[in-house]
């Protein structure tokens, strides 16, 4: 480690830098929020008599039918009586998102990524299609994905599912597969595999010049997620282990290189170790 390099440290919360660097041990801030929602009550069925929660009521075949939950009216206002009502509400929300991000200002792509762009709208339409089989959702999904793929070459290079071209081409390949268009599917897969062939993905922690992190948002695991997405929705052997295996090995090697006595695998982001999903351990493993 060079003299000017900032030492790795565990980040549990965002505190002032002075607080972090003046302390010899990682700081942990315990935060909780008051629960303002009305509590439920347990009562004997057919009776207003509430059962004390400290009283243990063994749930047997005899007693279970006699116990009922009293749910506050505020809860009932936001509940769904059946799955059809839930699906209907979800589709109405999906339509609002499509209107706001794709239709209202005219179909255009300023940002083709999943994380901050309209590819996220395409993914929403894709999930809606899987839930309902709606041809309209499938058509919207394909339309938006095609526009994102056309804009992908102009987008800053990134190898991940959420922020990069890997996610764009993975979605394009899946859309073509559903549309039974083998030519377009192979076109998008070729672009995806070119990304997978980059040596930087499989460079270990001791390789000089490797600036690619292992994280889900911006790094190697983000590429692996895109590969798994393709294999799940197209074919299990569409992206072979010969491509993903070296990337997995690099992720494990990096995790061991930054391990702590408490954690055998650990992943840094900008010289700090994280536990979270975007930059840290949870997302990487």
């Amino acid at each position: 480690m060079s003299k000017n390099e900032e030492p790795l440290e565990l980040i549990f919360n965002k505190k002032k830098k002075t607080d972090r660097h003046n302390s010899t041990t990682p700081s942990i801030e315990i935060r909780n929020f008051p629960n303002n929602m009305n509590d439920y009550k347990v009562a004997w069925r057919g009776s207003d008599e509430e059962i004390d929660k400290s009283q243990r009521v063994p749930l047997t075949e005899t007693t279970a039918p006699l116990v009922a939950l009293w749910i506050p009216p505020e809860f009932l206002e936001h509940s769904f009586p059946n799955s059809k009502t839930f699906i209907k509400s979800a589709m109405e929300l999906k339509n609002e998102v499509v209107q706001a991000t794709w239709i209202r200002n005219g179909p255009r792509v300023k940002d083709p990524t999943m994380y901050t762009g309209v590819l996220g709208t395409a993914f929403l339409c894709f999930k809606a299609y899987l839930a309902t089989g709606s041809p309209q959702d499938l058509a919207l999904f394909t339309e938006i994905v095609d526009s994102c793929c056309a804009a992908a070459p102009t987008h800053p290079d990134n190898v991940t599912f959420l922020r990069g071209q890997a996610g764009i081409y993975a979605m394009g390949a899946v859309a073509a597969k559903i549309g039974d268009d083998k030519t377009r599917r192979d076109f998008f897969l070729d672009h995806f595999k070119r990304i997978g062939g980059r040596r930087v993905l499989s460079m270990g922690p001791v390789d000089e010049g490797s600036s690619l992190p292992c994280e889900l948002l911006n790094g190697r695991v983000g590429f692996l997620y895109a590969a798994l997405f393709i294999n799940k929705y197209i074919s299990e052997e569409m992206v072979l282990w010969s491509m993903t295996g070296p990337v997995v090995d690099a992720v494990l090697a990096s995790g061991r290189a930054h391990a702590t006595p408490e954690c055998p695998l650990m992943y840094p982001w900008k010289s700090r170790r994280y536990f979270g999903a975007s930059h840290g351990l949870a997302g990487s493993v």
Side-chain angles (χ1 to χ4, degrees), residues 189-242:
L189 286 175
D190 286 343
H191 279 71
F192 178 84
K193 290 176 180 179
R194 289 177 191 173
I195 297 173
R198 298 178 186 177
R199 185 175 179 272
V200 68
L201 280 167
S202 58
M203 292 174 68
V206 297
D207 292 318
E208 294 183 1
S210 177
S211 59
L212 186 66
C214 289
E215 60 170 57
L216 178 63
L217 188 62
N218 296 297
R220 295 181 177 99
V221 174
F223 170 79
L224 292 175
Y225 188 96
L228 290 173
F229 184 83
I230 290 174
N231 285 356
K232 178 178 180 179
Y233 291 107
I234 298 181
S235 170
E236 290 185 1
E237 297 184 355
M238 192 57 62
V239 182
L240 298 176
W241 178 252
S242 58

Side-chain angles (χ1 to χ4, degrees), residues 121-281:
T121 303
F123 187 75
L124 180 62
C125 294
F126 172 61
K127 299 298 284 187
Y129 166 73
L130 294 180
T132 65
S134 167
Q136 290 81 11
D137 287 328
L138 177 59
L140 265 174
F141 166 55
T142 304
E143 176 188 350
I144 300 173
V145 167
D146 285 348
S147 298
C148 290
C149 289
T154 64
H155 187 71
D157 195 13
N158 191 300
V159 300
T160 71
F161 184 77
L162 291 175
R163 296 195 64 184
Q165 295 180 6
I168 299 170
Y169 293 132
M171 291 280 284
V174 171
K177 168 64 169 58
I178 296 175
D180 199 24
D181 190 334
K182 186 176 183 299
T183 301
R184 290 177 62 252
R185 185 204 69 181
D186 292 343
F187 172 80
F188 293 131
L189 286 175
D190 286 343
H191 279 71
F192 178 84
K193 290 176 180 179
R194 289 177 191 173
I195 297 173
R198 298 178 186 177
R199 185 175 179 272
V200 68
L201 280 167
S202 58
M203 292 174 68
V206 297
D207 292 318
E208 294 183 1
S210 177
S211 59
L212 186 66
C214 289
E215 60 170 57
L216 178 63
L217 188 62
N218 296 297
R220 295 181 177 99
V221 174
F223 170 79
L224 292 175
Y225 188 96
L228 290 173
F229 184 83
I230 290 174
N231 285 356
K232 178 178 180 179
Y233 291 107
I234 298 181
S235 170
E236 290 185 1
E237 297 184 355
M238 192 57 62
V239 182
L240 298 176
W241 178 252
S242 58
M243 176 173 289
T244 57
V247 185
V248 172
D249 291 340
V251 171
L252 293 175
S254 180
R256 295 187 185 106
H258 298 99
T260 66
E262 297 81 13
C263 196
L265 293 175
M266 183 52 70
Y267 297 92
W269 168 248
K270 294 185 177 180
S271 299
R272 297 190 180 97
R273 294 185 177 98
Y274 286 85
F275 286 107
S278 295
H279 302 304
L281 177 66

